[in-house]
Amino acid sequence: MKNTISARVADFLKNYPPFNEVATKELESLSEEVSIVYKVKGEVIFTIDEEAHQYFYVVHKGAVVLTKEPNDEVVDLCDEGDIFGLRPLIANENYKIGAKAYEETILYAIPITDFKPVIKKYGAVGTFLIESFASNTRNPYSKSYRGKLYDATSPTEGNQINDKELLDLQGVPYSKKLITCSENTTIKTIASKMTEKKVGSVLVVNDKLPVGIITDKDLRNKIATGLFPITTRAKNIMSSPVITYPKKMTVTQAQMAMMKSNISHLCLTLDGTPNTEAVGIISKHDIMFELGNNPAVLIKAIKRANGFKKLKAVRRRIMSLLQGYLDQNIPLTLTSKIISELNDACIKQIIKIALNKMDAPPPVKFAWLAMGSQGRSEQLLHTDQDNALVFENVPDDQLTETREFFLDLAKIVTKGLFDIGYEYCPAEMMASNPDWCLSLSEWKERTLHWITNPGPDQVLLSSIFFDYNLSYGETSLVNDLSAHLFETTDKYPNFFLHLASGALQSPSPSGFFRSFLVEEDGEYKDFFDLKRRALMPLIDGARVLILSHKVKLINNTAERFEKLAELEPNNEELFLACSYATKALLKFRTKHGLLHNDSGRFIALTKLTKEEKIKLKRCFKTIKDLQELLKIRFKVTNLLG
């Protein structure tokens, strides 16, 4: 009769080197001699100078930490499939390092006497074990590796460095839509035109040939100071002659030309001389935008963009900036704030462009709300849109017409967001949906219904809506709505029980002994759902806890946990661990999303390094502790049934 336990041992071992080199029959025979060892967290497996065991070990479940003197310095952290305790096999002497269970652990102890014949027969097995023994020094938690778990340079990153090196030799995109005037145009007219067109210079032409240029600097130095009146003519203050260049210039050439003449704008002509027609202008801003992924430059570029196509180009720059921050290991708190500010600026600009496309101004004041990850300032990648619109109350006979205006506006805005990279929400939780484009009183009624009738759908909608953030428009409308929400939840505290129950509905990230639980079917079969299984439990938990404390104006999940650590000193350690786990998981998702050009939500476990798996599993423990706290605090056990 087949030994079921030894068969399971053989099935496990054959997936890991060097056992994958051994023939099935011999591996099954060896597995019959394997002992199974169980260790609780912190339990010693062997100590330094301890007499060698008759076994070496393979981690089946859990993790083992290896340490050396002095001060128990960590040498390595062994995960599933890792081998340790090889010294008696290789050197036949006492242990030089210590080993203990990093967490609840199951080990396979393989007898050395039974394994030596395998080494003799399979040269590759012996070579692998000697190399493992000799190189067992890498430690992801040592000082030299701290904070660099994800810093291995990939070919993609290498290519980016080459791209930067070559950037100086690339051509500079320039503005072909010249803003011009004649020598007799008044400065007042010129200033109005510059303001209207949002440009920093006007080219003075005579029969299409450039004869002078007027910039913001000229207006400051010659008009604002009173040197010339606002009624003076262009010819009196323009810089002349114009320094001209041919239109094919590299970034470096343009930079050097500006530095050489101490100017901020270059005029491009057909042959590079002032004797041919002007075809474009290059500004210092154009060069800075091309060279640098500087947030201030990007903000300026966003505000200048007068179409969705230009904003899409800026968005690509923002993604490049994000990649650079991650490569440099900039703290995620700072990274997410900067990227969120840039995303907010893009949304504002899209709404401004959309308003210009409307035939009439808004009939009443309104506010555009970003929800979900953007509302929490956690939307680093191109993910789905989640937004809503609230407008001032109007008489009943004007409600339909007013809503139609804002729905038309919202359709232009959501189309613009889609054009620059934000997918439409599959559930249509967008302001272009009549259910998400309501007057203030309608929103109050809607949220009152959610809070007083907390079924699964209402809890889900509340979860999305309660993370809203004002992107554009009237602040007082949002403040009024926020006040209503907190007053209502205060009257109906039972709502928190349902919100906490909803926070516990996310599927577990790990199974028995922390093994990853993956999708069982569908497009992402065998992938790990990082968003649903790891991030959402933390996001949902932070939301219900911070709302129960009546804390307003903190939407970011990591910041919510940090605030909770202040409010509840007895749970400080857990909440700070939750904050760290949130940032680590968000960073992990962002890096994988950028690497694979997707949302980073579904992870192929086979592509993860050992260090990445260990770090993810450390976060799972924190999630489990948080969920236990929610169950006890909000007494949701009975509700879960």
Side-chain angles (χ1 to χ4, degrees), residues 181-298:
C181 68
S182 72
E183 294 172 276
N184 289 318
T185 307
T186 65
I187 296 305
K188 185 176 182 180
T189 303
I190 291 171
S192 299
K193 186 179 286 189
M194 290 172 67
T195 303
E196 178 191 349
K197 301 294 183 182
K198 297 179 181 177
V199 296
S201 67
V202 167
L203 194 65
V204 185
V205 296
N206 184 354
D207 197 21
K208 296 186 178 179
L209 300 181
V211 295
I213 188 168
I214 294 175
T215 67
D216 283 331
K217 187 177 178 182
D218 293 318
L219 299 182
R220 289 197 306 272
N221 293 345
K222 299 173 184 177
I223 303 300
T225 58
L227 194 62
F228 292 89
I230 191 72
T231 54
T232 194
R233 306 288 175 178
K235 60 185 177 186
N236 296 324
I237 73 162
M238 68 183 188
S239 299
S240 183
V242 181
I243 298 174
T244 57
Y245 285 88
K247 59 184 179 182
K248 288 186 178 179
M249 292 193 79
T250 66
V251 172
T252 298
Q253 285 175 320
Q255 273 186 307
M256 292 178 67
M258 288 184 184
M259 291 171 65
K260 179 181 175 183
S261 303
N262 193 27
I263 55 178
S264 58
H265 294 76
L266 298 178
C267 176
L268 307 181
T269 62
L270 286 175
D271 67 358
T273 73
N275 301 319
T276 54
E277 184 178 342
V279 293
I281 288 280
I282 295 177
S283 70
K284 190 179 285 184
H285 170 78
D286 294 330
I287 294 175
M288 288 178 67
F289 179 61
E290 197 62 27
L291 273 179
N293 291 323
N294 180 301
V297 174
L298 292 174

Side-chain angles (χ1 to χ4, degrees), residues 355 358 361-368 389-392 394 399-413 431-432 437-438:
L355 285 168
M358 298 295 288
V364 292
K365 294 177 181 176
F366 74 100
W368 185 277
L389 191 147
V390 52
F391 53 87
E392 275 185 320
V394 294
L399 185 58
T400 301
E401 185 181 359
T402 305
R403 194 191 320 281
E404 284 177 356
F405 175 91
F406 287 115
L407 283 173
D408 288 342
L409 174 68
K411 285 173 186 171
I412 299 174
V413 175
S432 52
C437 180
L438 305 176

Side-chain angles (χ1 to χ4, degrees), residues 448 451-452 486-497:
L448 176 65
I451 293 169
T452 55
F486 278 94
E487 287 170 9
T488 308
T489 52
D490 206 27
K491 289 179 184 174
Y492 301 93
N494 197 41
F495 172 70
F496 292 120
L497 187 155

Side-chain angles (χ1 to χ4, degrees), residues 27 257 265 341 426 549 598:
L27 190 59
H265 294 76
E341 287 291 334
H549 276 286
D598 58 22

Side-chain angles (χ1 to χ4, degrees), residues 578-615:
C578 288
S579 176
Y580 171 81
T582 304
K583 287 184 275 193
L585 290 168
L586 193 57
K587 185 174 184 177
F588 188 88
R589 179 181 178 180
T590 304
K591 292 204 79 162
H592 278 261
L594 289 172
L595 185 62
H596 301 292
N597 195 30
D598 58 22
S599 70
R601 173 174 175 174
F602 294 98
I603 306 294
L605 295 177
T606 54
K607 304 290 185 184
L608 299 185
T609 65
K610 171 184 166 184
E611 289 83 2
E612 288 174 327
K613 288 181 180 177
I614 291 173
K615 194 162 188 176

Side-chain angles (χ1 to χ4, degrees), residues 270-474:
L270 286 175
D271 67 358
T273 73
N275 301 319
T276 54
E277 184 178 342
V279 293
I281 288 280
I282 295 177
S283 70
K284 190 179 285 184
H285 170 78
D286 294 330
I287 294 175
M288 288 178 67
F289 179 61
E290 197 62 27
L291 273 179
N293 291 323
N294 180 301
V297 174
L298 292 174
I299 285 281
K300 199 169 181 179
I302 291 168
K303 290 183 176 179
R304 284 186 171 191
N306 53 11
F308 300 153
K309 191 175 178 182
K310 289 186 176 178
L311 272 176
K312 187 175 182 178
V314 181
R315 280 285 301 166
R316 284 197 290 268
R317 291 285 182 184
I318 295 173
M319 288 298 102
S320 179
L321 176 70
L322 174 60
Q323 180 74 64
Y325 283 173
L326 293 175
D327 291 345
Q328 295 171 56
N329 213 24
I330 303 295
L332 192 75
T333 303
L334 179 61
T335 299
S336 61
K337 282 185 182 300
I338 293 172
I339 300 300
S340 294
E341 287 291 334
L342 292 168
N343 288 340
D344 270 344
C346 285
I347 295 172
K348 281 186 176 71
Q349 192 63 17
I350 283 178
I351 295 172
K352 288 180 181 176
I353 294 170
L355 285 168
N356 287 334
K357 290 177 180 284
M358 298 295 288
D359 293 332
V364 292
K365 294 177 181 176
F366 74 100
W368 185 277
L369 308 180
M371 301 187 297
S373 57
Q374 179 61 20
R376 296 190 301 271
S377 300
E378 295 166 3
Q379 191 178 50
L380 300 179
L381 298 168
H382 289 163
T383 52
D384 296 346
Q385 300 181 37
D386 286 312
N387 46 58
L389 191 147
V390 52
F391 53 87
E392 275 185 320
N393 294 330
V394 294
D396 290 345
D397 60 345
Q398 297 176 18
L399 185 58
T400 301
E401 185 181 359
T402 305
R403 194 191 320 281
E404 284 177 356
F405 175 91
F406 287 115
L407 283 173
D408 288 342
L409 174 68
K411 285 173 186 171
I412 299 174
V413 175
T414 53
K415 173 68 166 54
L417 290 170
F418 176 79
D419 286 348
I420 70 168
Y422 295 100
E423 295 291 330
Y424 289 118
C425 174
E428 295 191 25
M429 293 178 184
M430 300 181 293
S432 52
N433 180 342
D435 287 339
W436 294 84
C437 180
L438 305 176
S439 69
L440 179 61
S441 60
E442 287 176 322
W443 271 121
K444 287 183 178 180
E445 290 175 18
R446 180 69 55 87
T447 51
L448 176 65
H449 175 74
W450 290 344
I451 293 169
T452 55
N453 298 275
D457 290 343
Q458 289 72 24
V459 169
L460 175 63
L461 293 169
S462 302
S463 300
I464 297 168
F465 190 83
F466 286 161
D467 292 341
Y468 69 77
N469 190 35
L470 175 66
S471 291
Y472 183 95
E474 184 60 32

